[in-house]
Amino acid sequence: MSTDSNIPDNVVFTSGPLLLGYLLSWGLYGILCVQVYVYYLAFPNDRLYAKILVYLIFILESVQSILVAHDAFEAYAKGFGSFEALTDEYFSWLTMPIIGGVAALFVQLFYAYRISVLGKSKIPAILIVVMATIQGGSAITAGILAAKAKNLTKLTTLDVRIVQGVWAGVSAGCDVFIAICMSYQLSKREAVFPSTQAFLARILRLIIGTGSLTAVVAVLNLTLFNVFEYGTAFLAPGALLGKLYSNSMMVILNSRLDIVGGRHSSQRLNEVIVRPSSDLRDTAFNGSSRLSEKGFGIESPVAFLRAGGWNRSDTDSSESRNTRIEIGITKQTTVITS
């Protein structure tokens, strides 16, 4: 432990945002772990590129969380009482701008591909790719400049402000544009059945909500960076951006999961759990009746989850009504039980 007699009176404006950023980052990582596990259980037949994307982002976020824990330990435990230890960058130049920016880039490219499949015109997808590439490049550049500064209180140069503005501004604009494009494409889909209409409405709410959230946090990060010139207030939302993008993508992918008998379920407990591949709900992701041809990057469009009091199979009479989860996968006649 080290002590520093030159600790300023307003040290809370430096230590507070850092601590909040560390805590919230780990909280979002816990949510991401649950979402990835649910995805692993529910959609084993998704296309290979979708699985690679999910697990690659999960690895990136895991590395980020480990480095965030390291920074928190160095600043608040090993360097307790030292203002210099509190403002040292450690790995923040890597965890926030670079890893967060790369995760956002992957998620935005994922949406660009989906929009190119849903729509007849490729122009919106190309624009999203361009904006995503700009924000990703700006994030990496911001990380390099931050590494050269070596101290959180020295991120005040003109170069850093320009790059930070491009990164946050383009990222927010890209998120809003994605939400508009996806909402427009999905709103054109005509649903015959009420359950399909409810499913489309749920997807629209998720897309608009997640896109708006990431855009607001990006703008908040930019605003705090420019308003508090020598503080670290911008690090609180900055630490969350990458995991917000990752969780937003997982929310969309896992929205195919339907909890039978749940609050917003389109199925009742006495209805058939396995549905044919021609289900109109497939069109919410691809615009065609066959997801295997032009899907949301998935082979199994919808999974139905039932929890509690069910036997493992019709012939399994020895397994009496214990609480368990059964997931039936569309286009399959088997039920996966965990």
Side-chain angles (χ1 to χ4, degrees), residues 23-260:
L23 294 176
L24 293 176
S25 177
W26 265 93
L28 288 176
Y29 179 68
I31 297 174
L32 182 65
C33 289
V34 174
Q35 292 214 73
V36 171
Y37 181 64
V38 169
Y39 175 84
Y40 168 79
L41 289 179
F43 306 106
N45 297 322
D46 276 9
R47 292 182 179 179
L48 181 60
Y49 91 86
K51 293 181 180 179
I52 291 175
L53 178 63
V54 169
Y55 299 131
L56 176 60
I57 287 181
F58 181 68
I59 291 173
L60 282 175
E61 298 296 354
S62 298
V63 172
Q64 186 196 51
S65 297
I66 294 172
L67 295 179
V68 163
H70 167 272
D71 292 355
F73 183 84
E74 290 288 334
Y76 291 94
K78 188 176 180 180
F80 181 79
S82 172
F83 185 72
E84 183 179 351
L86 192 64
T87 58
D88 198 312
E89 282 204 20
Y90 304 111
F91 289 106
S92 61
W93 63 270
L94 176 63
T95 57
M96 297 184 190
I98 295 182
I99 295 181
V102 171
L105 172 64
F106 287 156
V107 173
Q108 289 167 344
L109 292 179
F110 169 76
Y111 281 119
Y113 173 71
R114 295 315 322 141
I115 290 172
S116 69
V117 173
L118 285 170
K120 297 180 180 178
S121 175
K122 305 298 182 182
I123 295 178
I126 293 174
L127 291 176
I128 292 173
V129 170
V130 171
M131 288 189 289
T133 304
I134 292 174
Q135 78 82 19
S138 301
I140 294 174
T141 304
I144 295 173
L145 294 176
K148 292 180 179 179
K150 298 182 180 180
N151 193 286
L152 297 174
T153 61
K154 296 180 179 180
L155 301 177
T156 57
T157 63
L158 180 61
D159 292 342
V160 173
R161 292 189 177 278
I162 292 175
V163 172
Q164 177 76 9
V166 173
W167 172 30
V170 175
S171 180
C174 186
D175 295 338
V176 173
F177 188 65
I178 287 173
I180 293 173
C181 290
M182 289 290 288
S183 300
Y184 174 73
Q185 294 295 340
L186 291 178
S187 64
K188 295 194 302 181
R189 306 294 168 183
E190 296 182 358
V192 177
F193 301 108
S195 61
T196 307
Q197 184 62 43
F199 180 69
L200 287 173
R202 182 173 64 186
I203 294 298
L204 284 173
R205 289 195 301 269
L206 288 174
I207 290 173
I208 294 174
T210 55
S212 301
L213 178 61
T214 52
V216 167
V217 173
V219 172
L220 179 62
N221 179 35
L222 179 61
T223 302
L224 293 177
F225 180 79
N226 287 281
V227 171
F228 300 96
E229 184 176 356
Y230 296 102
T232 60
F234 68 97
L235 294 178
L240 308 181
L241 268 177
K243 288 185 174 59
L244 284 177
Y245 279 105
S246 302
N247 275 287
S248 67
M249 184 189 74
M250 294 308 303
V251 165
I252 299 299
L253 287 175
N254 288 337
S255 65
R256 296 170 287 161
L257 185 67
D258 195 7
I259 301 176
V260 177

Side-chain angles (χ1 to χ4, degrees), residues 193-196 258-262 264-276 279 281 302-306 310 314 326 328 335:
F193 301 108
S195 61
T196 307
D258 195 7
I259 301 176
V260 177
H264 301 291
S265 175
S266 60
Q267 296 288 306
R268 295 182 180 178
L269 290 176
N270 58 354
E271 290 184 303
V272 177
I273 191 170
V274 178
R275 306 179 72 180
D279 193 316
R281 291 172 64 144
V302 184
F304 299 95
L305 182 147
R306 299 184 293 181
W310 291 12
D314 293 337
E326 299 179 351
V335 175

Side-chain angles (χ1 to χ4, degrees), residues 277-303:
S277 60
S278 61
D279 193 316
L280 288 180
R281 291 172 64 144
D282 298 356
T283 62
F285 294 116
N286 60 9
S288 69
S289 61
R290 290 182 58 86
L291 195 62
S292 59
E293 295 175 357
K294 277 187 156 186
F296 199 70
I298 53 179
E299 285 296 328
S300 304
V302 184

